[in-house]
Amino acid sequence: DTGVSQDPRHKITKRGQNVTFRCDPISEHNRLYWYRQTLGQGPEFLTYFQNEAQLEKSRLLSDRFSAERPKGSFSTLEIQRTEQGDSAMYLCASSLEWDKDFYEQYFGPGTRLTVT
Amino acid sequence: GIQVEQSPPDLILQEGANSTLRCNFSDSVNNLQWFHQNPWGQLINLFYIPSGTKQNGRLSATTVATERYSLLYISSSQTTDSGVYFCAVSPGGANSKLTFGKGITLSVRP
């Protein structure tokens, strides 16, 4: 069990550029989550997948954001036409649904995005 | 949605002291987790504790689900305990997203 991994760990981009982040969950975890954390705040939910199906999206996820989880394995989060307000830490988590109500989430190291 | 409040917002301790961190939540939950965020931003799982009491070394946690609060106890604190502690909850079922509190910043001085 190697834990949740994310790539890249840091990304600096210019306003208006597109960026894509990757998350590899713990193997056999069927749920995958994306969160965003800004300075001094707790993480906020963006979206989650059960297997390959995207089941919920936050209102924080504007139409410039898109997430995919092809074949229910790794996931990508793309931000188009980045804005300075997108600067944040993007965290990925995964969990194994062993009971419909109870599951523990495990987080990756995050991708820190800076938009200049 | 569920509201999560953590207190105190900041805590300064001398090495060796004990502390209690509190998490209140506004609705019934089936999942509650405590995390420590390290200086590099990674969230480290401390406890998964929707109810009851657990202990892991110098750390222990208690959740009283009927009264909607959880407590994290740190005993004999060390400088390496410094960082931000988050409580996060979810109702479970189809609503599995975690709602986080604003965190408690702990500084342990040598």
Side-chain angles (χ1 to χ4, degrees):
Chain A
D1 186 348
T2 57
V4 179
S5 61
Q6 293 187 244
D7 184 70
R9 296 290 304 276
H10 303 274
K11 178 73 177 177
I12 300 174
T13 191
K14 296 189 178 197
R15 188 176 57 186
Q17 298 295 303
N18 299 342
V19 294
T20 300
F21 309 142
R22 176 179 171 124
C23 171
D24 287 88
I26 294 171
S27 59
E28 300 180 354
H29 277 194
N30 56 350
R31 290 192 174 188
L32 186 149
Y33 310 79
W34 286 99
Y35 295 82
R36 180 171 69 185
Q37 185 179 20
T38 53
L39 201 61
Q41 302 296 316
E44 294 178 290
F45 169 79
L46 293 178
T47 188
Y48 93 92
F49 295 82
Q50 179 154 321
N51 300 312
E52 64 274 12
Q54 189 173 18
L55 295 189
E56 187 175 351
K57 293 194 292 186
S58 162
R59 285 172 291 178
L60 291 175
L61 214 63
S62 76
D63 57 5
R64 297 185 297 106
F65 288 70
S66 62
E68 294 182 340
R69 193 183 182 197
K71 303 179 183 178
S73 56
F74 70 91
S75 176
T76 58
L77 178 68
E78 181 183 17
I79 308 174
Q80 296 182 327
R81 304 181 304 281
T82 52
E83 302 173 356
Q84 288 187 320
D86 297 331
S87 295
M89 175 77 94
Y90 289 84
L91 295 162
C92 176
S94 69
S95 68
L96 176 64
E97 186 194 5
W98 52 272
D99 179 290
K100 69 176 181 65
D101 288 327
F102 305 99
Y103 23 76
E104 182 174 4
Q105 294 187 26
Y106 296 85
F107 281 77
T111 295
R112 190 175 296 279
L113 173 67
T114 302
V115 181
T116 62
Chain B
I2 293 178
Q3 305 297 313
V4 179
E5 291 186 2
Q6 293 185 247
S7 60
D10 301 283
L11 193 54
I12 300 173
L13 299 176
Q14 208 62 33
E15 198 168 27
N18 302 330
S19 61
T20 301
L21 285 62
R22 187 177 179 100
C23 171
N24 292 334
F25 44 96
S26 61
D27 207 342
S28 299
V29 298
N30 281 319
N31 299 282
L32 188 147
Q33 294 184 242
W34 281 97
F35 298 93
H36 179 210
Q37 190 162 43
N38 68 20
W40 298 272
Q42 172 132 30
L43 289 167
I44 308 298
N45 289 40
L46 296 177
F47 292 101
Y48 173 76
I49 186 165
S51 64
T53 298
K54 290 186 177 179
Q55 180 156 8
N56 183 4
R58 296 182 297 103
L59 302 182
S60 63
T62 295
T63 297
V64 183
T66 53
E67 297 187 20
R68 299 180 185 168
Y69 73 88
S70 183
L71 302 173
L72 177 68
Y73 305 97
I74 304 175
S75 65
S76 305
S77 57
Q78 300 175 358
T79 56
T80 52
D81 295 331
S82 297
V84 184
Y85 290 79
F86 287 103
C87 168
V89 303
S90 78
N95 188 354
S96 67
K97 62 179 181 284
L98 286 174
T99 299
F100 284 76
K102 291 189 174 181
I104 296 170
T105 301
L106 174 65
S107 299
V108 181
R109 295 180 172 170

